[in-house]
Amino acid sequence: MNTYQITEWCSHFVREHVVPGDLCIDATMGNGHDTLLLSRLAGSAGRVLAFDIQQAALDAARKLLISRNAPDNTRLILDSHSHMASYADAETVSCIMFNFGYLPSGDHSLATCSETSIPAVLAGLDLLKPEGLMSLCIYSGGDTGFREKEDLLKLLKSLDCRKYLVIVSSYYNRPHHPPLPVLIRKLPER
Ligand code: SAM
């Protein structure tokens, strides 16, 4: 049964969107689960760029891709996602996934933060093709705090509705600080 946890919710739409041959970006590689998903969907004719600032993430993601026989279409990049514009041309990317926060069972101090997340989302929006899709899994509370979520929501609110469709979903009856799944669709030029 699909329980529609935040990553399942976002990957549901990613699966519907990505087709073989696409260029995709995993902006927060971590242990590589989203990288694997994008690699399989893009297929051997496609390409995936995956970013993380921790060598431990690259090692874990490489191991996962090999163990699952993923297509050889993925570049694992030890760099901040805020530099993604140096690795792809504007309006060439079909899908970009962000899963903010820290590496599960890793160093919580190496979590994503507003200073790099905001420029990364803006850079990603420029890289998206018209009709391209960006998914964001946004967390708050605990070690993560609230600043990144608030800054991201402020940015999303400011996006021009003629250029972007922004859908913020919520786990409405869940207590405390449930995560927020977000989808952004770049609208075609009229
Ligand atoms: N999608 C991953 C998976 O499938 O396992 C989980 C991602 S984890 C919640 C968030 C990741 O973002 C961590 O591995 C962390 O190192 C990474 N990160 C933090 N700051 C970053 C930055 N500026 N650029 C790229 N990755 C960053």
CSV table of all heavy atoms in Angstrom, one decimal, residues 39-81:
chain,number,residue,atom,x,y,z
A,39,SER,N,17.4,8.0,-12.3
A,39,SER,CA,18.2,7.2,-13.2
A,39,SER,C,17.4,6.2,-14.0
A,39,SER,O,17.5,6.1,-15.2
A,39,SER,CB,19.3,6.6,-12.4
A,39,SER,OG,20.0,5.6,-13.2
A,40,ARG,N,16.5,5.5,-13.3
A,40,ARG,CA,15.7,4.5,-13.9
A,40,ARG,C,14.7,5.1,-14.9
A,40,ARG,O,14.4,4.6,-16.0
A,40,ARG,CB,14.9,3.7,-12.9
A,40,ARG,CG,15.8,2.7,-12.2
A,40,ARG,CD,15.1,2.0,-11.1
A,40,ARG,NE,15.8,0.8,-10.6
A,40,ARG,CZ,15.6,0.2,-9.5
A,40,ARG,NH1,14.6,0.6,-8.7
A,40,ARG,NH2,16.3,-0.9,-9.1
A,41,LEU,N,14.1,6.2,-14.5
A,41,LEU,CA,13.1,6.9,-15.3
A,41,LEU,C,13.7,7.5,-16.6
A,41,LEU,O,13.1,7.4,-17.7
A,41,LEU,CB,12.3,8.0,-14.5
A,41,LEU,CG,11.4,7.5,-13.4
A,41,LEU,CD1,10.9,8.7,-12.5
A,41,LEU,CD2,10.3,6.7,-13.9
A,42,ALA,N,14.9,8.1,-16.4
A,42,ALA,CA,15.5,8.7,-17.6
A,42,ALA,C,16.1,7.7,-18.5
A,42,ALA,O,16.3,7.9,-19.7
A,42,ALA,CB,16.6,9.7,-17.1
A,43,GLY,N,16.5,6.5,-17.9
A,43,GLY,CA,17.0,5.4,-18.8
A,43,GLY,C,18.3,5.7,-19.4
A,43,GLY,O,18.9,6.7,-19.2
A,44,SER,N,18.8,4.7,-20.2
A,44,SER,CA,20.2,4.8,-20.7
A,44,SER,C,20.3,5.9,-21.7
A,44,SER,O,21.4,6.4,-21.9
A,44,SER,CB,20.6,3.5,-21.2
A,44,SER,OG,19.6,3.0,-22.1
A,45,ALA,N,19.2,6.4,-22.3
A,45,ALA,CA,19.3,7.6,-23.2
A,45,ALA,C,19.3,8.9,-22.4
A,45,ALA,O,19.5,10.0,-23.0
A,45,ALA,CB,18.2,7.5,-24.2
A,46,GLY,N,19.0,8.9,-21.2
A,46,GLY,CA,18.9,10.1,-20.4
A,46,GLY,C,20.1,10.4,-19.5
A,46,GLY,O,21.1,9.7,-19.7
A,47,ARG,N,20.0,11.4,-18.7
A,47,ARG,CA,21.2,11.8,-17.9
A,47,ARG,C,20.7,12.3,-16.5
A,47,ARG,O,19.6,13.0,-16.5
A,47,ARG,CB,22.0,12.9,-18.6
A,47,ARG,CG,23.5,12.8,-18.4
A,47,ARG,CD,24.2,13.4,-19.6
A,47,ARG,NE,23.7,14.7,-20.0
A,47,ARG,CZ,24.1,15.9,-19.6
A,47,ARG,NH1,25.1,15.9,-18.7
A,47,ARG,NH2,23.6,17.0,-20.0
A,48,VAL,N,21.4,12.0,-15.5
A,48,VAL,CA,21.0,12.5,-14.1
A,48,VAL,C,22.3,13.2,-13.5
A,48,VAL,O,23.4,12.6,-13.5
A,48,VAL,CB,20.6,11.4,-13.2
A,48,VAL,CG1,20.2,11.9,-11.8
A,48,VAL,CG2,19.3,10.7,-13.8
A,49,LEU,N,22.1,14.4,-13.0
A,49,LEU,CA,23.1,15.0,-12.2
A,49,LEU,C,22.7,15.0,-10.8
A,49,LEU,O,21.5,15.4,-10.5
A,49,LEU,CB,23.3,16.5,-12.7
A,49,LEU,CG,23.6,16.7,-14.2
A,49,LEU,CD1,23.6,18.2,-14.5
A,49,LEU,CD2,24.9,16.1,-14.5
A,50,ALA,N,23.5,14.5,-9.9
A,50,ALA,CA,23.1,14.4,-8.5
A,50,ALA,C,24.2,15.2,-7.6
A,50,ALA,O,25.4,15.0,-7.8
A,50,ALA,CB,23.0,13.0,-8.0
A,51,PHE,N,23.7,16.0,-6.7
A,51,PHE,CA,24.5,16.9,-5.9
A,51,PHE,C,24.5,16.5,-4.4
A,51,PHE,O,23.4,16.3,-3.9
A,51,PHE,CB,24.1,18.4,-6.0
A,51,PHE,CG,24.3,18.9,-7.4
A,51,PHE,CD1,23.3,18.8,-8.4
A,51,PHE,CD2,25.5,19.6,-7.8
A,51,PHE,CE1,23.5,19.3,-9.7
A,51,PHE,CE2,25.7,20.1,-9.0
A,51,PHE,CZ,24.7,19.9,-10.0
A,52,ASP,N,25.6,16.6,-3.8
A,52,ASP,CA,25.6,16.6,-2.3
A,52,ASP,C,27.0,17.2,-1.9
A,52,ASP,O,27.9,17.2,-2.6
A,52,ASP,CB,25.5,15.2,-1.7
A,52,ASP,CG,24.8,15.2,-0.3
A,52,ASP,OD1,25.5,15.8,0.6
A,52,ASP,OD2,23.7,14.8,-0.1
A,53,ILE,N,27.0,17.7,-0.6
A,53,ILE,CA,28.2,18.4,-0.1
A,53,ILE,C,29.0,17.4,0.7
A,53,ILE,O,30.1,17.7,1.2
A,53,ILE,CB,27.9,19.6,0.7
A,53,ILE,CG1,26.8,19.3,1.8
A,53,ILE,CG2,27.4,20.7,-0.2
A,53,ILE,CD1,26.7,20.4,2.8
A,54,GLN,N,28.5,16.1,0.9
A,54,GLN,CA,29.2,15.2,1.7
A,54,GLN,C,29.7,14.0,0.9
A,54,GLN,O,28.9,13.3,0.2
A,54,GLN,CB,28.3,14.6,2.8
A,54,GLN,CG,27.7,15.6,3.7
A,54,GLN,CD,27.0,14.9,4.9
A,54,GLN,OE1,27.6,14.1,5.6
A,54,GLN,NE2,25.7,15.2,5.0
A,55,GLN,N,31.0,13.6,1.1
A,55,GLN,CA,31.5,12.5,0.4
A,55,GLN,C,30.8,11.2,0.8
A,55,GLN,O,30.5,10.3,0.0
A,55,GLN,CB,33.0,12.3,0.7
A,55,GLN,CG,33.7,11.2,-0.1
A,55,GLN,CD,33.6,11.3,-1.6
A,55,GLN,OE1,33.9,12.4,-2.2
A,55,GLN,NE2,33.3,10.2,-2.3
A,56,ALA,N,30.3,11.2,2.1
A,56,ALA,CA,29.6,10.0,2.6
A,56,ALA,C,28.3,9.7,1.7
A,56,ALA,O,27.9,8.6,1.5
A,56,ALA,CB,29.2,10.2,4.0
A,57,ALA,N,27.7,10.8,1.3
A,57,ALA,CA,26.5,10.7,0.5
A,57,ALA,C,26.9,10.1,-0.9
A,57,ALA,O,26.2,9.2,-1.4
A,57,ALA,CB,25.8,12.0,0.3
A,58,LEU,N,27.9,10.6,-1.5
A,58,LEU,CA,28.3,10.1,-2.8
A,58,LEU,C,28.6,8.6,-2.7
A,58,LEU,O,28.3,7.8,-3.6
A,58,LEU,CB,29.5,10.8,-3.4
A,58,LEU,CG,29.2,12.1,-4.2
A,58,LEU,CD1,28.7,13.2,-3.3
A,58,LEU,CD2,30.4,12.5,-5.0
A,59,ASP,N,29.3,8.2,-1.6
A,59,ASP,CA,29.7,6.8,-1.5
A,59,ASP,C,28.4,5.9,-1.3
A,59,ASP,O,28.3,4.9,-2.0
A,59,ASP,CB,30.6,6.6,-0.2
A,59,ASP,CG,31.9,7.4,-0.4
A,59,ASP,OD1,32.3,7.7,-1.5
A,59,ASP,OD2,32.6,7.6,0.7
A,60,ALA,N,27.5,6.4,-0.5
A,60,ALA,CA,26.3,5.6,-0.3
A,60,ALA,C,25.4,5.6,-1.6
A,60,ALA,O,24.9,4.5,-1.9
A,60,ALA,CB,25.5,6.3,0.8
A,61,ALA,N,25.3,6.7,-2.3
A,61,ALA,CA,24.5,6.7,-3.5
A,61,ALA,C,25.2,5.8,-4.6
A,61,ALA,O,24.5,5.0,-5.2
A,61,ALA,CB,24.4,8.1,-4.0
A,62,ARG,N,26.5,5.9,-4.7
A,62,ARG,CA,27.2,5.0,-5.7
A,62,ARG,C,26.9,3.5,-5.4
A,62,ARG,O,26.6,2.8,-6.3
A,62,ARG,CB,28.7,5.3,-5.7
A,62,ARG,CG,29.4,4.5,-6.8
A,62,ARG,CD,30.9,5.0,-7.0
A,62,ARG,NE,31.0,6.3,-7.5
A,62,ARG,CZ,31.4,7.4,-6.8
A,62,ARG,NH1,31.8,7.3,-5.6
A,62,ARG,NH2,31.4,8.6,-7.4
A,63,LYS,N,27.0,3.2,-4.1
A,63,LYS,CA,26.7,1.8,-3.7
A,63,LYS,C,25.3,1.4,-4.1
A,63,LYS,O,25.1,0.3,-4.6
A,63,LYS,CB,26.9,1.7,-2.2
A,63,LYS,CG,27.4,0.4,-1.7
A,63,LYS,CD,27.8,0.5,-0.3
A,63,LYS,CE,27.5,-0.8,0.5
A,63,LYS,NZ,27.6,-0.7,1.9
A,64,LEU,N,24.4,2.2,-3.8
A,64,LEU,CA,23.0,1.9,-4.1
A,64,LEU,C,22.7,1.7,-5.6
A,64,LEU,O,22.1,0.8,-6.0
A,64,LEU,CB,22.0,3.0,-3.6
A,64,LEU,CG,20.6,2.8,-3.8
A,64,LEU,CD1,20.1,1.7,-2.8
A,64,LEU,CD2,19.7,4.0,-3.6
A,65,LEU,N,23.3,2.7,-6.4
A,65,LEU,CA,23.1,2.6,-7.9
A,65,LEU,C,23.7,1.3,-8.4
A,65,LEU,O,23.1,0.6,-9.2
A,65,LEU,CB,23.7,3.8,-8.6
A,65,LEU,CG,23.1,5.2,-8.2
A,65,LEU,CD1,24.0,6.3,-8.8
A,65,LEU,CD2,21.7,5.3,-8.8
A,66,ILE,N,24.9,0.9,-7.9
A,66,ILE,CA,25.5,-0.3,-8.4
A,66,ILE,C,24.7,-1.5,-8.0
A,66,ILE,O,24.4,-2.4,-8.8
A,66,ILE,CB,27.0,-0.4,-7.9
A,66,ILE,CG1,27.8,0.7,-8.6
A,66,ILE,CG2,27.6,-1.8,-8.1
A,66,ILE,CD1,29.2,0.9,-8.0
A,67,SER,N,24.3,-1.5,-6.7
A,67,SER,CA,23.6,-2.7,-6.2
A,67,SER,C,22.2,-2.9,-6.9
A,67,SER,O,21.7,-4.0,-6.9
A,67,SER,CB,23.4,-2.7,-4.7
A,67,SER,OG,22.4,-1.7,-4.4
A,68,ARG,N,21.6,-1.9,-7.4
A,68,ARG,CA,20.3,-2.0,-8.0
A,68,ARG,C,20.4,-2.0,-9.6
A,68,ARG,O,19.4,-1.8,-10.3
A,68,ARG,CB,19.4,-0.8,-7.6
A,68,ARG,CG,19.2,-0.7,-6.1
A,68,ARG,CD,18.4,-1.9,-5.6
A,68,ARG,NE,18.2,-1.8,-4.2
A,68,ARG,CZ,17.3,-1.1,-3.6
A,68,ARG,NH1,16.4,-0.5,-4.2
A,68,ARG,NH2,17.3,-1.1,-2.2
A,69,ASN,N,21.7,-2.1,-10.1
A,69,ASN,CA,21.9,-2.2,-11.5
A,69,ASN,C,21.3,-1.0,-12.3
A,69,ASN,O,20.6,-1.2,-13.3
A,69,ASN,CB,21.3,-3.4,-12.1
A,69,ASN,CG,22.2,-4.6,-11.9
A,69,ASN,OD1,23.4,-4.4,-12.1
A,69,ASN,ND2,21.6,-5.8,-11.6
A,70,ALA,N,21.5,0.2,-11.7
A,70,ALA,CA,20.9,1.4,-12.3
A,70,ALA,C,21.6,1.6,-13.7
A,70,ALA,O,22.8,1.3,-13.9
A,70,ALA,CB,21.1,2.6,-11.4
A,71,PRO,N,20.9,2.3,-14.6
A,71,PRO,CA,21.6,2.6,-15.9
A,71,PRO,C,22.8,3.5,-15.6
A,71,PRO,O,22.8,4.2,-14.7
A,71,PRO,CB,20.5,3.4,-16.7
A,71,PRO,CG,19.2,3.1,-16.0
A,71,PRO,CD,19.5,2.7,-14.6
A,72,ASP,N,23.8,3.4,-16.5
A,72,ASP,CA,25.0,4.1,-16.4
A,72,ASP,C,24.8,5.6,-17.0
A,72,ASP,O,25.3,5.9,-18.0
A,72,ASP,CB,26.2,3.4,-17.1
A,72,ASP,CG,27.5,4.1,-16.9
A,72,ASP,OD1,27.6,4.9,-16.0
A,72,ASP,OD2,28.4,3.8,-17.7
A,73,ASN,N,24.0,6.4,-16.3
A,73,ASN,CA,23.6,7.7,-16.8
A,73,ASN,C,23.7,8.8,-15.8
A,73,ASN,O,23.2,9.9,-16.0
A,73,ASN,CB,22.1,7.6,-17.3
A,73,ASN,CG,21.2,7.3,-16.2
A,73,ASN,OD1,21.6,7.1,-15.1
A,73,ASN,ND2,19.9,7.2,-16.5
A,74,THR,N,24.4,8.5,-14.7
A,74,THR,CA,24.4,9.4,-13.6
A,74,THR,C,25.7,10.0,-13.2
A,74,THR,O,26.7,9.2,-13.2
A,74,THR,CB,23.8,8.7,-12.3
A,74,THR,OG1,22.5,8.2,-12.7
A,74,THR,CG2,23.7,9.6,-11.1
A,75,ARG,N,25.8,11.3,-13.0
A,75,ARG,CA,27.0,11.9,-12.5
A,75,ARG,C,26.8,12.4,-11.1
A,75,ARG,O,25.9,13.2,-10.8
A,75,ARG,CB,27.3,13.1,-13.4
A,75,ARG,CG,28.6,13.8,-13.1
A,75,ARG,CD,29.0,14.8,-14.2
A,75,ARG,NE,30.0,15.7,-13.6
A,75,ARG,CZ,30.3,16.9,-14.1
A,75,ARG,NH1,29.6,17.4,-15.1
A,75,ARG,NH2,31.3,17.6,-13.6
A,76,LEU,N,27.6,11.8,-10.2
A,76,LEU,CA,27.5,12.2,-8.8
A,76,LEU,C,28.5,13.3,-8.5
A,76,LEU,O,29.7,13.2,-8.7
A,76,LEU,CB,27.8,11.0,-7.9
A,76,LEU,CG,27.0,9.7,-8.1
A,76,LEU,CD1,27.4,8.6,-7.1
A,76,LEU,CD2,25.5,10.0,-8.0
A,77,ILE,N,28.0,14.4,-8.0
A,77,ILE,CA,28.8,15.7,-8.0
A,77,ILE,C,28.9,16.1,-6.5
A,77,ILE,O,27.9,16.4,-5.8
A,77,ILE,CB,28.1,16.8,-8.8
A,77,ILE,CG1,28.0,16.3,-10.3
A,77,ILE,CG2,28.9,18.1,-8.7
A,77,ILE,CD1,27.1,17.2,-11.1
A,78,LEU,N,30.2,16.2,-6.1
A,78,LEU,CA,30.5,16.7,-4.7
A,78,LEU,C,30.5,18.3,-4.8
A,78,LEU,O,31.6,18.9,-4.9
A,78,LEU,CB,31.8,16.2,-4.2
A,78,LEU,CG,32.2,16.5,-2.8
A,78,LEU,CD1,31.2,15.9,-1.8
A,78,LEU,CD2,33.6,15.9,-2.5
A,79,ASP,N,29.4,18.9,-4.7
A,79,ASP,CA,29.3,20.3,-4.8
A,79,ASP,C,27.9,20.7,-4.3
A,79,ASP,O,27.0,19.9,-4.2
A,79,ASP,CB,29.5,20.8,-6.2
A,79,ASP,CG,29.8,22.3,-6.4
A,79,ASP,OD1,29.8,23.0,-5.3
A,79,ASP,OD2,30.0,22.7,-7.5
A,80,SER,N,27.8,22.0,-3.9
A,80,SER,CA,26.5,22.5,-3.4
A,80,SER,C,25.5,22.6,-4.6
A,80,SER,O,25.9,23.1,-5.7
A,80,SER,CB,26.7,23.9,-2.8
A,80,SER,OG,25.5,24.5,-2.5
A,81,HIS,N,24.3,22.3,-4.3
A,81,HIS,CA,23.2,22.5,-5.3
A,81,HIS,C,23.1,24.0,-5.7
A,81,HIS,O,22.6,24.2,-6.8
A,81,HIS,CB,21.9,21.9,-4.9
A,81,HIS,CG,21.5,22.2,-3.4
A,81,HIS,ND1,20.8,21.3,-2.7
A,81,HIS,CD2,21.7,23.3,-2.7
A,81,HIS,CE1,20.6,21.8,-1.5
A,81,HIS,NE2,21.1,23.0,-1.5
